[in-house]
Amino acid sequence: MSFTLPELPYAYDALAPYMSRETLEYHHDKHHLAYVNNGNNLLKGTEFEGKTLEEIVVGSFGKNAPLFNNAGQHYNHLHFWNWMKPNGGGAIPGEIEKKIIEDIGSVDKFKEDFIAAGVGQFGSGWAWLALKDGKLVVLKSPNGENPLVQGATPILGVDVWEHSYYIDYRNRRPDYLKAFVDHLVNWDYVAELYSKAV
Ligand SMILES: [Fe+2]
């Protein structure tokens, strides 16, 4: 398969004031597009042509760094746009809430750990809620990596590359992460990925 840039699932100004039109224009139209274009060029002539995106991400990890970086970031951003929605955050669907409490302790503990993972990721990367060996865990990863290469299935992720927050929050990554958790998370999409993963 070749990579294609999806449309955003909402208007560019729909996530304001928590994520601005300008951020989404740069992040989606320039950064994500670059991963798509570079990924397609790097895919040509490799053993990964014709594979699914997940197979390319897992298969290229540790073997073909330039392809992995771009394919990983394409995968991460495809989901990232859907992990947000206008008027997001709020109530967590019952089934996931129950599982978060069971595996992590409480919803507050999950939020605290998830924000801490994002703050604690040195440099560029991502923070995650993922299903690993049947349990929900909070993870972090550098650059374009994601839980797929750690043997886990991502069900929520937040981009902590500076391109994701610097226009709106400057260096205040913790404020961006708090706004993401409280006002942007699309729990319906998280629930959809969770039910596919179990
Ligand atoms: Fe990004």
Side-chain angles (χ1 to χ4, degrees), residues 22 45 90 134:
E22 190 183 359

Side-chain angles (χ1 to χ4, degrees), residues 41-188:
N41 288 333
L42 291 159
L43 192 56
K44 276 179 206 147
T46 69
E47 63 189 292
F48 301 109
E49 273 186 315
K51 298 271 169 74
T52 66
L53 178 56
E54 286 81 355
E55 288 168 340
I56 296 167
V57 169
V58 173
S60 64
F61 182 62
K63 282 170 90 177
N64 181 336
L67 176 60
F68 171 77
N69 290 336
N70 286 281
Q73 283 291 71
H74 178 47
Y75 175 92
N76 296 345
H77 287 82
L78 279 179
H79 291 294
F80 184 59
W81 309 129
N82 288 290
W83 276 321
M84 300 185 288
K85 68 171 189 182
N87 303 310
I92 301 178
E95 199 191 349
I96 300 211
E97 187 181 44
K98 191 164 159 272
K99 183 74 174 156
I100 286 175
I101 294 167
E102 204 174 291
D103 293 344
I104 299 175
S106 68
V107 169
D108 284 348
K109 178 77 164 67
F110 153 68
K111 289 181 178 177
E112 200 180 297
D113 289 359
F114 186 76
I115 290 171
V119 171
Q121 172 54 45
F122 184 76
S124 297
W126 294 73
W128 306 96
L129 177 65
L131 193 69
K132 185 168 191 181
D133 303 324
K135 289 192 107 181
L136 286 180
V137 287
V138 172
L139 302 169
K140 61 184 174 184
S141 64
N143 303 312
E145 282 186 35
N146 63 45
L148 293 178
V149 304
Q150 302 174 28
T153 307
I155 64 164
L156 173 65
V158 62
D159 189 341
V160 299
W161 286 56
E162 286 186 346
H163 66 220
S164 194
Y165 62 89
Y166 218 83
I167 290 170
D168 300 320
Y169 299 87
R170 296 300 167 184
N171 61 331
R172 294 178 289 114
R173 190 190 285 188
D175 290 354
Y176 156 65
L177 286 164
K178 191 168 186 318
F180 179 88
V181 168
D182 290 341
H183 301 287
L184 293 175
V185 176
N186 178 357
W187 283 106
D188 296 332

